[in-house]
């Protein structure tokens, strides 16, 4: 077959601020997300034509805070079908930034392909002054069409940086430098070229034991946030509401208040899993630090923040209910 001159990239649009519109150019924070259809986004960047052959597909038109487990599974299945198409070299997903880190981690774990899957959003709507969506989308298409982006797991392109979809998190709610990875970005994309500096160490995509093609749904996992003066009843309510695991977004090292410990132990003995993460954001929670996890059969979230731990716990619970296995999964991914 003759080599194609340009990579073929599909832009799968889900909504978010990158498809947002405000009343005036000064509305950078007050606007409606998920308004502009994907074909209009593509038409607004004729330069895309220089770097890839692009086509759009509208998966959803929602703000990302409204993503559900069912939507994650539906999106994952569509991405999987696209990357199996020999005509497709890479996929870009336009996404709201609020839960982009959950979707990127989920796809990093369930898409069994080494083709680039690149998530992108924006912090300002396209109608605003210094809107960031156009360049972010252009950069994302460049990365999705790059052979050197293959095999690196899902990627997030924001603000000229290329992040691992596993590591990245939204840290600022109102500026264009919103995304951050505690272990650093993987690379940069500048003027249509990629520059790489590191690769992910954790298992992903082609080597993952999770597979979107056989996944039908995700079990319920709730995150409960550690503060002073917690209420044990809230943990029991999560269990009654059908949670199979609770991610405890603990203070500091994932610590648990002394008056909560008995409730968490009792819930564990009833079959619910306890995953200790931290509300701090950076760092990592170690086993048997703060609490005797071995004795209580609790799991620690390693370096995953609570919302990422929720995604991995849900996927892990589709495979096992064994605490040691769950912990092995948290170390590995
Ligand atoms: N900047 C954004 O995209 C925020 C928006 N609420 C969303 O996540 O859809």
């Amino acid at each position: 077959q003759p080599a194609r001159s340009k990579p073929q990239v599909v832009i799968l649009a889900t909504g978010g601020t990158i498809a947002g519109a405000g009343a005036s150019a000064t509305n950078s924070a007050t606007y409606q997300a998920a308004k502009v259809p994907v074909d209009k986004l593509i038409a607004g960047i004729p330069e895309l034509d220089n770097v890839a052959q692009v086509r759009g597909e509208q998966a959803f038109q929602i703000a990302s805070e409204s993503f559900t487990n069912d939507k994650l599974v539906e999106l994952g299945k569509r991405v999987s079908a696209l990357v199996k198409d020999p005509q497709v070299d890479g996929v870009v997903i336009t996404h709201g930034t609020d839960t982009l880190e959950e979707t990127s981690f989920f796809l990093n774990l369930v898409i069994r392909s080494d083709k680039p899957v690149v998530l992108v959003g924006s912090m300002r709507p396209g109608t605003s002054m210094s809107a960031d969506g156009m360049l972010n989308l252009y950069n994302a298409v460049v990365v999705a069409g790059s052979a050197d982006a293959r095999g690196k797991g899902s990627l997030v392109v924001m603000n000229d940086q290329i992040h691992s979809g596993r590591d990245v998190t939204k840290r600022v709610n109102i500026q264009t430098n919103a995304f951050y990875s505690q272990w650093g970005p993987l690379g940069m994309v500048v003027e249509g070229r990629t520059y790489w500096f590191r690769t992910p160490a954790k298992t992903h995509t082609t080597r993952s034991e999770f597979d979107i093609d056989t996944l039908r749904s995700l079990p319920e996992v709730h995150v409960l946030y550690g503060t002073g003066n917690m209420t044990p009843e809230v943990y029991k309510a999560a269990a009654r509401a059908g949670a199979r695991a609770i991610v405890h977004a603990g203070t500091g090292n994932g610590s648990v208040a002394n008056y909560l410990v008995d409730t968490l132990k009792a819930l564990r003995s009833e079959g619910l899993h306890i995953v200790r993460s931290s509300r701090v954001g950076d760092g990592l929670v170690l086993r048997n630090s703060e609490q005797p996890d071995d004795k209580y059969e609790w799991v620690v979230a390693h370096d995953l923040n609570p919302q990422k731990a929720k995604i991995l716990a849900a996927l892990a619970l589709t495979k096992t209910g064994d605490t040691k296995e769950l912990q092995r999964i948290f170390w590995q991914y």
Side-chain angles (χ1 to χ4, degrees):
Q1 274 195 349
R4 286 197 297 264
S5 57
K6 276 188 281 184
Q8 316 253 339
V9 174
V10 178
I11 301 180
L12 199 50
T14 72
T17 298
I18 194 165
S24 84
T26 52
N27 287 125
S28 60
T30 315
Y31 57 86
Q32 277 193 293
K35 284 279 150 201
V36 182
V38 65
D39 289 339
K40 208 168 157 196
L41 291 181
I42 293 171
I45 316 174
E47 294 78 4
L48 288 176
D49 207 37
N50 303 332
V51 289
Q53 196 170 322
V54 169
R55 75 174 166 84
E57 217 180 275
Q58 194 78 45
F60 313 122
Q61 188 63 293
I62 59 170
S64 73
E65 59 270 25
S66 302
F67 256 83
T68 57
N69 284 351
D70 288 347
K71 285 209 153 47
L72 272 185
V73 171
E74 190 184 331
L75 181 70
K77 286 188 187 291
R78 186 64 197 133
V79 173
S80 176
L82 285 171
V83 293
K84 284 196 186 106
D85 180 346
Q87 295 302 313
V88 173
D89 296 302
V91 175
V92 168
I93 300 162
T94 60
H95 198 293
T97 54
D98 288 355
T99 65
L100 193 145
E101 65 197 86
E102 280 108 309
T103 303
S104 66
F105 188 34
F106 178 71
L107 297 175
N108 189 62
L109 295 167
V110 300
I111 300 296
R112 297 273 191 96
S113 168
D114 66 357
K115 289 186 187 173
V117 173
V118 182
L119 292 96
V120 64
S122 79
M123 294 302 293
R124 296 176 181 146
T127 46
S128 117
M129 280 190 259
S130 287
D132 52 332
M134 262 171 99
L135 182 56
N136 284 349
L137 183 53
Y138 174 79
N139 284 341
V141 169
V142 167
V143 174
S146 300
D148 55 18
R150 292 176 79 114
K152 293 185 167 71
S154 79
L155 300 166
V156 171
V157 170
M158 290 288 291
N159 201 31
D160 303 351
Q161 294 182 320
I162 310 167
H163 291 267
S164 159
R166 174 196 187 270
D167 294 343
V168 77
T169 186
K170 185 176 182 180
R171 267 298 175 82
V172 185
N173 71 339
I174 204 144
Q175 289 170 282
T176 52
N177 62 341
F179 282 77
Y180 159 89
S181 300
Q182 78 158 319
W183 312 118
L186 302 181
M188 297 274 297
V189 48
V190 184
E191 293 190 357
R193 282 193 59 182
T194 55
Y195 300 89
W196 299 93
F197 301 99
R198 56 187 97 243
T199 51
K202 299 290 185 181
T203 307
H204 59 76
T205 55
T206 48
R207 290 171 178 273
S208 173
E209 66 205 85
F210 308 109
D211 184 353
I212 192 69
D213 292 346
T214 55
L215 187 78
R216 293 170 64 171
S217 61
L218 288 169
E220 209 63 68
V221 176
H222 291 301
V223 177
L224 291 173
Y225 198 91
T227 61
N229 205 53
M230 301 287 289
T231 310
E233 276 306 320
V234 174
Y235 285 77
K236 293 181 196 160
R240 280 199 301 275
R244 300 259 323 275
I246 290 174
V247 175
H248 173 72
T251 40
N253 296 339
S255 49
V256 182
N258 55 5
Y259 53 82
L260 268 185
V261 169
D262 283 344
T263 302
L264 268 58
K265 279 168 69 181
L267 289 171
R268 178 68 203 101
S269 66
E270 288 161 23
L272 186 107
H273 286 281
I274 306 295
V275 181
R276 290 197 302 118
S277 179
S278 172
R279 70 178 195 179
V280 169
D282 280 359
L284 63 169
V285 178
L286 299 172
R287 249 190 111 66
N288 302 312
S289 71
E290 297 284 348
Q291 292 292 333
D293 298 296
D294 289 348
K295 188 166 152 210
Y296 296 166
E297 292 192 30
W298 294 351
V299 174
V300 296
H302 198 18
D303 65 326
L304 296 176
N305 69 25
Q307 57 272 30
K308 295 212 182 239
K310 172 173 167 164
I311 294 290
L312 185 54
L315 272 173
L317 285 166
T318 65
K319 296 274 180 189
T320 182
D322 180 75
T323 314
K324 286 203 173 70
E325 261 296 280
L326 291 173
Q327 187 63 69
R328 191 267 305 160
I329 288 168
F330 268 89
W331 295 142
Q332 186 173 337
Y333 293 91

